């Protein structure tokens, strides 16, 4: 049986805030669909050069009363990054809370504006432990 990954879909409450968040992670918009009849917008965002690995942001024009909830029914999105410390600093500089700091030089968790849990993993070997990350406490949950 052949299987091919297509995308991960997440519902978002504020499309522009969600797009901005995923742009901070380095993703780019690769496709957009507007459905007047269905009253929704789909925005596909992928890492550069990886259009086959998108996250689909689904925005319902008439709102979604359940968002943002703390639902974790699908788990999380995960992205490998070139330097986890630089990425976490970049996100913090842009107002993103680091829920699970990369104390181990390997893994961190953040949340999107819609409470979507996003795991960041260091490409290759873990970086050497470094401050301020090693002494930074968890914030909230992921």
């Amino acid at each position: 049986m052949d299987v091919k990954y297509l995308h991960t879909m997440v519902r978002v409450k504020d499309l522009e805030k969600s797009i901005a968040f995923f742009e901070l992670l380095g993703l780019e918009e690769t496709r957009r669909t507007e459905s007047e009849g269905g009253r929704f917008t789909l925005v596909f965002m992928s890492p550069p050069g990886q259009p086959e690995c998108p996250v689909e942001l689904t925005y319902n024009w008439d709102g979604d009363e359940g968002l943002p909830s703390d639902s974790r029914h699908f788990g999380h999105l995960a992205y490998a990054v070139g330097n986890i410390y630089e990425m976490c600093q970049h996100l913090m500089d842009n107002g993103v809370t680091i829920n699970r700091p990369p104390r181990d030089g390997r893994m961190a968790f953040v949340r999107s504006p819609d409470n979507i849990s996003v795991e960041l993993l260091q490409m290759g070997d873990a970086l050497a432990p470094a401050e301020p990350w090693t002494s930074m406490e968890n914030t909230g949950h992921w």
Side-chain angles (χ1 to χ4, degrees):
M1 172 178 10
D2 290 335
V3 176
K4 179 182 176 186
Y5 173 80
L6 294 178
H7 62 268
T8 298
M9 182 278 262
V10 294
R11 288 183 177 83
V12 300
K13 185 170 186 145
D14 185 319
L15 186 58
E16 296 311 313
K17 281 185 181 178
S18 294
I19 289 171
F21 172 81
F22 285 101
E23 286 175 342
L24 287 173
L25 290 176
L27 277 64
E28 303 169 338
E29 184 174 329
T30 57
R31 190 170 84 223
R32 182 182 290 240
T33 301
E34 308 261 342
S35 175
E36 186 75 38
R39 303 197 48 74
F40 63 84
T41 299
L42 306 178
V43 175
F44 292 82
M45 299 187 74
S46 302
Q50 298 178 59
E52 72 282 4
C53 298
V55 59
E56 172 193 319
L57 307 179
T58 298
Y59 173 71
N60 293 310
W61 298 355
D62 299 323
D64 190 328
E65 295 299 317
L67 295 176
S69 73
D70 206 23
S71 173
R72 295 176 60 157
H73 63 277
F74 81 100
H76 62 265
L77 301 174
Y79 294 100
V81 298
N83 185 306
I84 197 159
Y85 296 145
E86 288 177 6
M87 175 59 81
C88 287
Q89 188 63 56
H90 169 68
L91 294 171
M92 283 178 49
D93 290 348
N94 284 277
V96 175
T97 299
I98 308 300
N99 299 105
R100 193 277 192 198
R103 290 183 292 274
D104 54 5
R106 173 87 181 124
M107 177 180 65
F109 275 88
V110 297
R111 283 189 175 251
S112 78
D114 296 288
N115 280 326
I116 297 160
S117 187
V118 179
E119 179 182 25
L120 304 173
L121 294 168
Q122 174 63 41
M123 287 181 190
D125 294 333
L127 301 181
E131 290 297 339
W133 312 108
T134 53
S135 59
M136 192 178 279
E137 296 290 323
N138 292 342
T139 302
H141 59 280
W142 56 93

